[in-house]
């Protein structure tokens, strides 16, 4: 059993190294775009399914509350939390629309919209990225190796490995890096 633990650790480390070297420039560009949107009064909308829904909520909380430096709250909403909105859309229309309807209702031009999908193919994430793009929002896909989301989003942050759990471990690392970079751009006096 200890070998499983050791192998998992090694796989996670290797996955993160591969993800960072594949996305370092895109992370900097995305952080700049997020900071620009927030400075202009925009917000960050984030969504995904399962573990990625948890990641969406986790990252949105880092912006609204704080990450590592004391600073004003930053506008971010995870579209994965309101069960009345999600169940009514899923029940009255279709589960594929649970995020896109929220983007249509809440999103504004120049907001940054982040869709997280380890497969890159979840229909509700794809649909929401499309609606965001139609609304003039900047779209970012967090995926595994790519998928349909990569064909839609303005920027795709990949985790070039095949295991969903390893992809998610890369996503939350890169999500935290974005939080840190945005804070350093917006509040340089704090560093
Ligand atoms: O967290 C895990 C697996 O580690 C699962 O809950 C996973 O998030 C779910 O199967 C999702 O439905 C997968 O969707 P996606 O990441 O492919 O868009
Ligand atoms: Zn998971």
């Amino acid at each position: 059993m200890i070998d499983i633990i050791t192998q998992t650790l090694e796989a996670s480390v290797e996955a993160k190294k591969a993800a960072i070297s594949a996305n370092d420039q895109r992370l900097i560009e995305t952080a700049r775009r997020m900071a620009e949107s927030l400075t202009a009064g925009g917000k960050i909308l984030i969504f995904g399914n399962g573990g990625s829904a948890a990641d969406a909520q986790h990252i949105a909380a880092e912006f609204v509350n704080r990450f590592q430096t004391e600073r004003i709250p930053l506008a971010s909403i995870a579209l994965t939390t309101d069960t009345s909105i999600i169940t009514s859309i899923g029940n009255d229309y279709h589960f594929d629309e649970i995020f896109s309807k929220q983007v249509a209702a809440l999103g504004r031009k120049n907001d940054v919209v982040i869709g997280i999908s380890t497969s890159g193919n979840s229909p509700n994430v794809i649909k929401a990225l499309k609606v965001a793009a139609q609304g003039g929002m900047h779209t970012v896909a967090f995926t595994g190796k790519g998928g349909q989301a990569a064909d839609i989003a303005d920027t795709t942050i990949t985790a070039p490995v095949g295991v969903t759990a390893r992809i998610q471990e890369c996503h939350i690392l890169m999500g935290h890096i974005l939080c840190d970079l945005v804070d350093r751009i917006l509040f340089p006096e704090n560093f």
Side-chain angles (χ1 to χ4, degrees):
M1 294 287 259
I2 197 74
D3 55 334
I4 299 297
I5 296 171
T6 312
Q7 285 162 18
T8 304
L9 169 63
E10 283 162 6
S12 190
V13 168
E14 289 313 307
K16 288 165 183 167
K17 284 181 180 173
I20 294 301
S21 60
N23 297 283
D24 52 1
Q25 287 308 318
R26 277 193 288 270
L27 287 167
I28 294 168
E29 288 154 24
T30 300
R32 286 206 175 102
R33 195 61 188 256
M34 293 166 78
E36 214 175 273
S37 172
L38 291 165
T39 302
K43 59 190 169 297
I44 315 297
L45 300 179
I46 319 179
F47 46 86
N49 295 281
S52 298
D55 288 346
Q57 290 161 210
H58 183 166
I59 296 303
E62 311 285 38
F63 284 113
V64 174
N65 181 31
R66 70 174 175 194
F67 183 50
Q68 292 174 334
T69 187
E70 284 301 323
R71 47 91 170 131
I72 55 166
L74 298 173
S76 182
I77 308 172
L79 304 183
T80 53
T81 61
D82 188 315
T83 50
S84 296
I85 288 175
I86 289 169
T87 56
S88 62
I89 294 171
N91 197 41
D92 298 349
Y93 292 90
H94 195 282
F95 191 72
D96 290 357
E97 299 190 49
I98 63 168
F99 301 132
S100 54
K101 264 183 169 287
Q102 293 185 76
V103 169
L106 302 170
R108 295 292 179 271
K109 191 171 164 38
N110 295 325
D111 283 352
V112 174
V113 174
I114 301 176
I116 308 173
S117 174
T118 59
S119 64
N121 296 320
S122 285
N124 56 16
V125 172
I126 300 293
K127 205 172 183 80
L129 289 171
K130 284 181 179 170
V131 168
Q134 289 156 6
M137 299 164 220
H138 182 75
T139 55
V140 180
F142 271 63
T143 71
K145 294 179 180 173
Q148 295 167 54
D151 301 333
I152 298 162
D154 296 313
T155 306
T156 298
I157 308 253
T158 61
V161 289
V163 176
T164 299
R166 302 294 80 77
I167 293 169
Q168 291 172 330
E169 289 152 14
C170 295
H171 284 173
I172 198 60
L173 168 66
M174 294 191 284
H176 277 147
I177 288 171
L178 281 179
C179 294
D180 190 12
L181 295 181
V182 168
D183 276 353
R184 290 173 186 273
I185 294 166
L186 292 178
F187 310 98
E189 67 280 6
N190 288 15
F191 295 89

